[in-house]
Amino acid sequence: MAEALIFHYRHQNRFLNHCNPVTKFFSVILICLVLLSTSLSGAILFVTVTSLAALLQRLPIHSYKRELRFFIFLLILIFITEYIAAKDWGSALLAFLRFISIILCGLLIADSTAPDDLARSLGSLLDHIPFINGWMIASSIELTLSLLPMIFDAAEQVMSARSARLEKRRNPYTVITGLSTSIFSLLLDKAEDLSLALEARSFDPSRKRNRLDYTRTDFFLLCIVCILCVLGIVL
């Protein structure tokens, strides 16, 4: 079930899965910075490349239908508000395409990066900075990323349970209140289970771990991203 939901890591033998998490995050940051200043042609290029990457990664978009409704609503809202503010279809389309690229980058990172691998790579990097407990920060980020899929898991379980009980949706306020309460309660249970599991394993956030090495795939990824960003700036 976890693999069918959005923002879950899937173990695959794909190009992005073999890249170091730090390289992937640096690439996404670089792409987002260029997206802020790129033109409509550049935004189209970024959407095309990230969509191609999603196809190569074989993202199960068909399994994300329910979770993607929220992002689709945001896309429509961004398009409408940008058009109202700028009175320009091109500006609205540019904001629309930028947000699509950012969403696809987030999906690609979540799909190809295990939280533990991210902690191992980021912790070894931050630990070289004076007066900073790099492993503690990396463990905190790891736990945060582990909690994010729980929100979608809880929402999916609550919605499936209500559909199985054939509950009628009458008053919108009652429906929203009931859903929020059920999801929050289930999240507390899941968080407690995670806490007990970490305690049973004697989890120490400051413990040093074996770092992940950088390989040729990281070099290839950086080259591709740099070429893409240069083209995005030129266009």
Coordinates of all heavy atoms in Angstrom, one line a residue, residues 127-180:
D127 N 28.4 17.3 9.5 CA 29.2 17.1 10.6 C 30.6 17.8 10.5 O 31.3 17.9 11.5 CB 29.4 15.6 10.8 CG 29.7 15.2 12.3 OD1 29.1 15.8 13.2 OD2 30.6 14.4 12.5
H128 N 31.0 18.2 9.3 CA 32.3 18.8 9.1 C 32.2 20.3 9.5 O 33.2 21.0 9.5 CB 32.8 18.7 7.7 CG 33.2 17.3 7.4 ND1 32.3 16.3 6.9 CD2 34.4 16.6 7.4 CE1 32.9 15.2 6.7 NE2 34.2 15.3 7.0
I129 N 31.0 20.8 9.7 CA 30.8 22.2 10.0 C 31.0 22.4 11.5 O 30.4 21.7 12.3 CB 29.4 22.7 9.6 CG1 29.2 22.5 8.1 CG2 29.2 24.2 10.0 CD1 27.8 22.9 7.7
P130 N 31.9 23.3 11.9 CA 32.2 23.5 13.4 C 30.9 23.9 14.2 O 30.0 24.6 13.7 CB 33.2 24.6 13.4 CG 33.8 24.6 12.0 CD 32.7 24.2 11.1
F131 N 30.8 23.4 15.4 CA 29.8 23.8 16.3 C 28.4 23.3 15.9 O 27.3 23.8 16.4 CB 29.7 25.3 16.6 CG 31.0 25.9 17.0 CD1 31.7 26.7 16.1 CD2 31.6 25.5 18.2 CE1 32.9 27.2 16.4 CE2 32.9 26.1 18.5 CZ 33.5 26.9 17.6
I132 N 28.3 22.4 14.9 CA 27.0 21.8 14.5 C 27.1 20.3 14.6 O 28.0 19.7 14.1 CB 26.8 22.2 13.0 CG1 26.5 23.7 12.9 CG2 25.6 21.5 12.4 CD1 26.1 24.2 11.5
N133 N 26.0 19.8 15.2 CA 25.9 18.3 15.3 C 25.2 17.9 14.0 O 23.9 17.8 14.0 CB 25.1 18.0 16.6 CG 25.1 16.5 16.8 OD1 25.3 15.6 15.9 ND2 24.9 16.1 18.1
G134 N 26.0 17.6 13.0 CA 25.4 17.2 11.7 C 24.5 16.0 11.8 O 23.5 15.9 11.1
W135 N 24.9 15.0 12.6 CA 24.1 13.8 12.6 C 22.7 14.0 13.3 O 21.7 13.4 13.0 CB 24.9 12.6 13.3 CG 26.1 12.2 12.5 CD1 27.4 12.5 12.8 CD2 26.1 11.5 11.3 NE1 28.2 12.0 11.9 CE2 27.4 11.3 10.9 CE3 25.1 10.9 10.5 CZ2 27.8 10.6 9.8 CZ3 25.4 10.2 9.4 CH2 26.8 10.1 9.0
M136 N 22.7 14.9 14.3 CA 21.5 15.2 15.0 C 20.5 15.9 14.0 O 19.3 15.6 13.9 CB 21.7 16.1 16.2 CG 20.5 16.6 16.9 SD 19.7 15.3 17.9 CE 20.8 15.2 19.3
I137 N 21.0 16.9 13.2 CA 20.2 17.6 12.2 C 19.7 16.6 11.2 O 18.5 16.6 10.8 CB 21.0 18.7 11.6 CG1 21.3 19.7 12.7 CG2 20.2 19.4 10.5 CD1 22.2 20.9 12.2
A138 N 20.6 15.7 10.7 CA 20.2 14.8 9.6 C 19.1 13.8 10.2 O 18.2 13.5 9.4 CB 21.4 14.0 9.2
S139 N 19.3 13.4 11.4 CA 18.2 12.5 12.0 C 16.9 13.2 12.1 O 15.8 12.6 11.9 CB 18.7 12.0 13.3 OG 19.9 11.2 13.2
S140 N 16.9 14.5 12.4 CA 15.7 15.2 12.5 C 15.0 15.3 11.2 O 13.8 15.2 11.1 CB 15.9 16.6 13.1 OG 16.5 16.5 14.4
I141 N 15.8 15.6 10.1 CA 15.2 15.6 8.8 C 14.7 14.3 8.4 O 13.6 14.2 7.7 CB 16.3 16.1 7.8 CG1 16.7 17.6 8.2 CG2 15.8 16.1 6.4 CD1 17.9 18.1 7.3
E142 N 15.4 13.2 8.7 CA 15.0 11.9 8.4 C 13.6 11.6 9.0 O 12.7 11.0 8.3 CB 16.0 10.9 8.9 CG 15.6 9.4 8.6 CD 16.6 8.4 9.3 OE1 17.5 8.9 10.0 OE2 16.4 7.2 9.0
L143 N 13.4 11.9 10.3 CA 12.2 11.6 10.9 C 11.1 12.5 10.3 O 9.9 12.0 10.2 CB 12.3 11.9 12.4 CG 13.2 11.0 13.2 CD1 13.3 11.4 14.7 CD2 12.7 9.5 13.2
T144 N 11.4 13.7 10.0 CA 10.4 14.6 9.4 C 9.9 14.0 8.0 O 8.7 14.0 7.7 CB 10.9 16.0 9.1 OG1 11.4 16.5 10.4 CG2 9.9 16.9 8.5
L145 N 10.8 13.6 7.2 CA 10.5 13.0 5.9 C 9.7 11.6 6.1 O 8.9 11.3 5.3 CB 11.7 12.8 5.1 CG 12.4 14.0 4.6 CD1 13.7 13.7 3.8 CD2 11.5 14.9 3.8
S146 N 10.0 10.9 7.2 CA 9.3 9.7 7.5 C 7.9 9.9 7.9 O 7.0 9.1 7.7 CB 10.0 8.9 8.5 OG 11.3 8.6 8.1
L147 N 7.6 11.1 8.6 CA 6.3 11.4 9.0 C 5.4 11.9 7.9 O 4.2 11.8 8.0 CB 6.4 12.5 10.1 CG 6.9 12.0 11.5 CD1 7.1 13.2 12.4 CD2 6.0 11.0 12.1
L148 N 6.0 12.6 6.9 CA 5.2 13.1 5.8 C 4.3 12.1 5.1 O 3.1 12.3 4.9 CB 6.1 13.8 4.8 CG 5.5 14.5 3.6 CD1 4.5 15.5 4.0 CD2 6.5 15.1 2.6
P149 N 4.9 10.9 4.7 CA 4.0 9.9 4.1 C 2.9 9.4 5.0 O 1.8 8.9 4.5 CB 5.0 8.8 3.7 CG 6.3 9.4 3.7 CD 6.3 10.5 4.7
M150 N 3.1 9.5 6.3 CA 2.1 9.1 7.3 C 0.8 9.9 7.1 O -0.3 9.3 7.3 CB 2.6 9.2 8.7 CG 3.6 8.1 9.1 SD 3.9 8.2 10.9 CE 5.2 7.0 11.0
I151 N 0.9 11.1 6.8 CA -0.3 12.0 6.6 C -1.1 11.4 5.4 O -2.3 11.3 5.6 CB 0.2 13.4 6.3 CG1 1.0 14.0 7.5 CG2 -1.1 14.3 6.1 CD1 1.5 15.4 7.3
F152 N -0.5 11.1 4.3 CA -1.2 10.6 3.2 C -1.7 9.2 3.5 O -2.8 8.8 3.0 CB -0.3 10.6 1.9 CG 0.1 11.9 1.5 CD1 1.3 12.5 1.9 CD2 -0.8 12.7 0.7 CE1 1.6 13.8 1.5 CE2 -0.4 14.0 0.3 CZ 0.8 14.5 0.7
D153 N -1.0 8.4 4.2 CA -1.4 7.0 4.6 C -2.7 7.1 5.5 O -3.7 6.4 5.3 CB -0.3 6.3 5.4 CG 0.8 5.9 4.5 OD1 0.6 5.9 3.3 OD2 1.9 5.5 5.1
A154 N -2.6 8.1 6.5 CA -3.8 8.2 7.4 C -5.0 8.7 6.6 O -6.1 8.2 6.8 CB -3.4 9.2 8.5
A155 N -4.8 9.7 5.7 CA -5.9 10.2 4.9 C -6.5 9.1 4.1 O -7.8 9.0 3.9 CB -5.5 11.4 4.1
E156 N -5.7 8.3 3.4 CA -6.1 7.2 2.6 C -6.9 6.2 3.4 O -8.0 5.7 3.0 CB -5.0 6.6 1.9 CG -5.3 5.3 1.0 CD -6.1 5.7 -0.2 OE1 -6.2 6.8 -0.6 OE2 -6.7 4.7 -0.7
Q157 N -6.4 5.8 4.6 CA -7.1 4.8 5.4 C -8.4 5.3 5.9 O -9.4 4.6 5.9 CB -6.2 4.4 6.6 CG -5.0 3.7 6.2 CD -4.1 3.3 7.4 OE1 -4.6 3.3 8.5 NE2 -2.8 3.1 7.2
V158 N -8.5 6.6 6.3 CA -9.8 7.1 6.8 C -10.8 7.2 5.6 O -12.0 6.8 5.8 CB -9.6 8.5 7.4 CG1 -10.9 9.2 7.7 CG2 -8.7 8.4 8.7
M159 N -10.4 7.7 4.5 CA -11.3 7.8 3.3 C -11.8 6.4 2.9 O -13.0 6.2 2.6 CB -10.6 8.5 2.2 CG -10.3 10.0 2.4 SD -11.8 10.9 2.6 CE -12.5 10.8 1.0
S160 N -10.9 5.4 2.9 CA -11.3 4.1 2.5 C -12.3 3.5 3.5 O -13.2 2.8 3.1 CB -10.0 3.2 2.4 OG -9.2 3.7 1.4
A161 N -12.0 3.7 4.8 CA -12.9 3.2 5.8 C -14.3 3.8 5.7 O -15.3 3.1 5.8 CB -12.3 3.4 7.2
R162 N -14.4 5.1 5.4 CA -15.7 5.8 5.3 C -16.4 5.3 4.0 O -17.6 5.2 4.1 CB -15.5 7.3 5.3 CG -15.1 7.9 6.7 CD -14.8 9.4 6.6 NE -14.7 9.9 8.0 CZ -15.6 10.6 8.6 NH1 -16.7 10.9 8.0 NH2 -15.4 11.0 9.8
S163 N -15.7 5.1 3.0 CA -16.3 4.6 1.8 C -16.8 3.2 2.0 O -17.9 2.8 1.5 CB -15.3 4.6 0.6 OG -14.9 5.9 0.3
A164 N -16.1 2.4 2.7 CA -16.5 1.0 3.0 C -17.8 1.0 3.8 O -18.6 0.1 3.7 CB -15.4 0.2 3.6
R165 N -17.9 2.0 4.7 CA -19.1 2.0 5.6 C -20.3 2.7 4.9 O -21.3 2.9 5.5 CB -18.8 2.8 6.9 CG -17.8 2.0 7.8 CD -17.8 2.6 9.2 NE -17.2 3.9 9.2 CZ -16.0 4.1 9.4 NH1 -15.1 3.1 9.7 NH2 -15.5 5.4 9.4
L166 N -20.0 3.2 3.6 CA -21.1 3.9 2.8 C -21.7 5.1 3.6 O -22.9 5.3 3.6 CB -22.2 2.9 2.5 CG -21.8 1.7 1.6 CD1 -23.0 0.8 1.4 CD2 -21.2 2.1 0.3
E167 N -20.8 5.9 4.2 CA -21.2 7.0 5.0 C -21.7 8.1 4.0 O -21.0 8.4 3.0 CB -20.1 7.6 5.8 CG -19.7 6.6 7.0 CD -18.8 7.3 8.0 OE1 -18.5 8.5 7.8 OE2 -18.3 6.6 8.9
K168 N -22.8 8.8 4.3 CA -23.4 9.8 3.5 C -22.7 11.2 3.8 O -22.6 11.5 5.0 CB -24.9 9.9 3.6 CG -25.6 8.6 3.2 CD -27.1 8.8 3.3 CE -27.8 7.5 2.8 NZ -29.3 7.6 3.0
R169 N -22.5 11.9 2.8 CA -21.9 13.3 3.0 C -23.0 14.3 2.9 O -23.4 14.7 1.9 CB -20.8 13.6 1.9 CG -19.7 12.5 1.9 CD -18.7 12.8 0.8 NE -17.6 11.8 0.8 CZ -16.7 11.8 -0.1 NH1 -16.6 12.7 -1.1 NH2 -15.8 10.8 -0.1
R170 N -23.4 14.7 4.1 CA -24.5 15.7 4.1 C -24.0 17.1 4.4 O -23.8 17.9 3.5 CB -25.5 15.3 5.3 CG -26.2 13.9 5.0 CD -27.0 13.5 6.1 NE -27.7 12.2 5.9 CZ -28.4 11.5 6.8 NH1 -28.7 12.0 8.0 NH2 -29.0 10.3 6.4
N171 N -23.8 17.4 5.6 CA -23.3 18.7 6.0 C -21.8 18.8 5.7 O -21.0 18.1 6.3 CB -23.6 19.0 7.4 CG -23.3 20.5 7.8 OD1 -22.4 21.1 7.3 ND2 -24.1 21.0 8.7
P172 N -21.3 19.7 4.8 CA -19.9 19.8 4.5 C -19.0 20.1 5.8 O -17.9 19.6 5.9 CB -19.8 21.0 3.6 CG -21.1 21.1 2.9 CD -22.1 20.7 4.0
Y173 N -19.6 20.9 6.7 CA -18.8 21.2 7.9 C -18.6 20.0 8.8 O -17.5 19.7 9.3 CB -19.6 22.3 8.7 CG -18.9 22.6 10.1 CD1 -17.8 23.4 10.2 CD2 -19.5 22.1 11.2 CE1 -17.2 23.6 11.4 CE2 -18.9 22.3 12.5 CZ -17.8 23.1 12.6 OH -17.2 23.3 13.8
T174 N -19.7 19.2 8.9 CA -19.6 18.0 9.7 C -18.6 17.0 9.0 O -17.9 16.3 9.7 CB -21.0 17.3 9.8 OG1 -21.9 18.3 10.3 CG2 -21.0 16.1 10.6
V175 N -18.7 16.9 7.7 CA -17.8 16.0 7.0 C -16.3 16.4 7.2 O -15.5 15.5 7.5 CB -18.1 16.0 5.5 CG1 -17.1 15.2 4.7 CG2 -19.5 15.4 5.2
I176 N -16.0 17.7 7.0 CA -14.6 18.1 7.2 C -14.1 17.9 8.6 O -13.0 17.5 8.8 CB -14.5 19.6 6.7 CG1 -14.8 19.8 5.3 CG2 -13.1 20.2 7.1 CD1 -14.8 21.2 4.8
T177 N -15.0 18.3 9.6 CA -14.6 18.1 11.0 C -14.4 16.7 11.3 O -13.4 16.3 12.0 CB -15.7 18.7 11.9 OG1 -16.0 20.1 11.5 CG2 -15.3 18.6 13.3
G178 N -15.3 15.8 10.8 CA -15.1 14.4 11.1 C -13.9 13.8 10.5 O -13.1 13.0 11.1
L179 N -13.6 14.2 9.2 CA -12.4 13.7 8.6 C -11.1 14.2 9.3 O -10.2 13.4 9.5 CB -12.4 14.2 7.1 CG -13.2 13.4 6.1 CD1 -13.2 14.1 4.8 CD2 -12.7 12.0 6.0
S180 N -11.1 15.5 9.6 CA -9.9 16.0 10.3 C -9.7 15.3 11.6 O -8.5 15.0 12.0 CB -10.1 17.5 10.5 OG -10.3 18.2 9.3

